[in-house]
Amino acid sequence: MELTCPQCQGRVFARISQHGLRHFYHQVRPPDCALANESPEHHLLKLELAMAARTAGWRAELEVSSQTGDWRADVLVYDERGQPFMALEAQLSPMTPDDAQLRTNRYARDGVAVCWIGLEQRPWQRAVPSLLVRPPKERGEAWIVWHGVQRFDWAPRTLKARANWRHVIRPLGEAVGWILGGRVQTHTAADGAVWWTAPAYAQMSVERARMEAEAESVERSITADRVYRLDEGRARAAERRLREAIEAAVAIEEERQAELRRLAGFFQYAGIDASVWEAFTQMVRSASGKAVFYGEQSPAYGNGLLVYAGPRWGAERRLAGVVCPAPISLAGWPRDLTILVPNQTWLSRIQAAARSPVKVAVLNPVTRRSAFLRVPR
């Protein structure tokens, strides 16, 4: 019995790749057959990623392009509202770190997160969220994630105890389920390396860093006392100031992390990557010229996030705008209440739904470009 390709109907034969994967190859490679012009590893990994997403309860489609043609996802995963929110990219060919960041930013402009999946370590993996996988050796075995998901080991939680980030080796389907379900998030280390970890481990690393900083401040104070022969009272004052400065910095970071956790549901609703939220907030402050505060998502304003502004911290606040309201809520929208959106995708939704003039501010945290317009014109 002859075997044929399901896409081009050309004759195919079975063999085993250099990575031990069973696959079919064309007797004559046609130039216009997508299945013939990609490696068996790439094709099988795409199928495995799509299956992992679907098994985890998500809708996932193969080879989906953006409306503008800026990107084409190997596997595109959709949220509960049918909106694309994450691309799973099987990246087996060479790519530079700059290319990886550029392609990741293209997805981010459309509110789509991305995870890159490869077989071997490459320099670009330090700069963008990624996983390294190992194909199965025997029929029926699972693909395994061996790099890219980490946990923070620190026990007991004392300064003398060793603390290290360690790789978590898990089946690919389980790791994909963690990522899509939000059980793990991207974490950027002090040296710029990016990996996936649970929020609890990220918080634990902050706690460890705080203890190390406090110990360093004490040592620095003691050294300063010896070098400059400070009297005991001045030494204690210097140590106190250092400790207070460190505690203030840690408190600010903890407050920032708490705010990101508070807004996690809004990020998922709006398709916004939490890593660009600070840049978006800076653009909102620059545009308003005032102190900016975020309220809650408001059903009265299309489930958008309320933005309040005031002349300074602690002063009276007023409602100044709404971030990403549902387009269906635009009927009767106040003419002077600004709608804030992070990218062209959201602008297009507002333009399609608006029937009376509304003020829109497009503040793109990826490109750092802003535009202010009336919709419809």
Side-chain angles (χ1 to χ4, degrees):
M1 180 181 67
E2 290 188 358
L3 301 176
T4 59
C5 171
Q7 179 168 330
C8 68
Q9 305 305 313
R11 190 177 183 186
V12 296
F13 298 91
R15 67 181 178 190
I16 300 177
S17 76
Q18 61 179 349
H19 294 281
L21 290 173
R22 300 175 183 273
H23 66 281
F24 295 98
Y25 71 96
H26 285 68
Q27 181 181 32
V28 178
R29 176 177 292 182
D32 56 350
C33 178
L35 297 180
N37 290 287
E38 64 180 18
S39 69
E41 288 81 10
H42 186 264
H43 180 64
L44 293 176
L45 180 53
K46 287 195 307 182
L47 295 177
E48 191 69 24
L49 292 170
M51 185 181 302
R54 292 166 183 168
T55 301
W58 302 87
R59 173 191 164 198
E61 304 293 342
L62 292 163
E63 300 294 341
V64 180
S65 298
S66 67
Q67 294 181 350
T68 60
D70 287 346
W71 48 261
R72 181 181 177 86
D74 285 339
V75 178
L76 190 61
V77 184
Y78 297 81
D79 62 18
E80 298 87 343
R81 303 180 307 278
Q83 298 298 318
F85 82 99
M86 176 164 284
L88 302 175
E89 286 287 350
Q91 186 63 36
L92 307 187
S93 58
M95 180 170 62
T96 67
D98 288 343
D99 286 340
Q101 192 61 64
L102 177 64
R103 293 174 64 184
T104 299
N105 290 345
R106 287 175 181 168
Y107 281 111
R109 283 197 295 268
D110 288 340
V112 178
V114 61
C115 181
W116 302 90
I117 299 91
L119 297 178
E120 301 175 0
Q121 287 187 318
R122 293 286 187 262
W124 56 263
Q125 289 158 357
R126 288 178 53 82
V128 294
S130 62
L131 299 174
L132 292 181
V133 298
R134 185 167 54 240
K137 294 182 179 180
E138 300 292 339
R139 182 188 299 271
E141 292 183 350
W143 288 69
I144 298 297
V145 173
W146 58 273
H147 188 283
V149 179
Q150 297 201 37
R151 59 174 293 158
F152 192 69
D153 287 342
W154 178 28
R157 294 192 186 184
T158 64
L159 192 58
K160 292 183 178 181
R162 294 178 61 86
N164 295 290
W165 285 101
R166 300 186 185 278
H167 292 288
V168 177
I169 301 176
R170 303 302 300 168
L172 175 59
E174 187 172 343
V176 169
W178 289 351
I179 292 171
L180 297 178
R183 292 182 58 188
V184 295
Q185 302 171 357
T186 55
H187 174 83
T188 303
D191 62 357
V194 179
W195 59 74
W196 299 93
T197 193
Y201 292 132
Q203 183 61 33
M204 194 186 304
S205 70
V206 171
E207 182 181 345
R208 171 73 183 201
R210 176 180 181 177
M211 293 180 64
E212 292 175 344
E214 289 177 345
E216 183 180 350
S217 72
V218 172
E219 181 64 27
R220 189 181 299 123
S221 176
I222 294 173
T223 300
D225 182 50
R226 291 171 179 170
V227 172
Y228 299 105
R229 294 183 175 90
L230 294 173
D231 62 77
E232 184 177 357
R234 293 178 62 193
R236 283 198 297 266
E239 179 182 336
R240 185 178 65 256
R241 288 194 297 270
L242 283 170
R243 185 181 298 111
E244 289 173 351
I246 292 169
E247 290 176 349
V250 171
I252 291 174
E253 176 60 17
E254 290 177 343
E255 183 178 347
R256 187 179 74 87
Q257 293 294 336
E259 178 70 355
L260 292 178
R261 290 193 294 272
R262 183 180 76 86
L263 297 176
F266 170 72
F267 295 155
Q268 185 174 5
Y269 152 79
I272 295 177
D273 189 338
S275 64
V276 302
W277 186 246
E278 185 171 351
F280 180 79
T281 300
Q282 290 174 352
M283 295 183 72
V284 175
R285 290 171 179 163
S286 178
S288 67
K290 299 179 180 179
V292 172
F293 314 86
Y294 293 114
E296 303 293 337
Q297 285 183 257
S298 171
Y301 292 97
N303 214 30
L305 184 68
L306 301 182
V307 181
Y308 297 90
R312 61 187 180 279
W313 297 100
E316 182 180 357
R317 309 173 186 179
R318 68 174 185 85
L319 183 61
V322 180
V323 185
C324 298
I328 197 173
S329 67
L330 296 186
W333 189 269
R335 292 177 59 89
D336 293 329
L337 184 59
T338 302
I339 296 174
L340 308 174
V341 296
N343 50 49
Q344 185 62 40
T345 299
W346 266 102
L347 175 60
S348 299
R349 296 172 185 169
I350 299 301
Q351 289 174 324
R355 294 296 178 267
S356 58
V358 293
K359 294 167 59 177
V360 181
V362 184
L363 308 176
N364 193 311
V366 177
T367 64
R368 298 300 181 98
R369 295 180 178 177
S370 58
F372 305 89
L373 57 154
R374 282 277 186 177
V375 175
R377 297 180 180 277

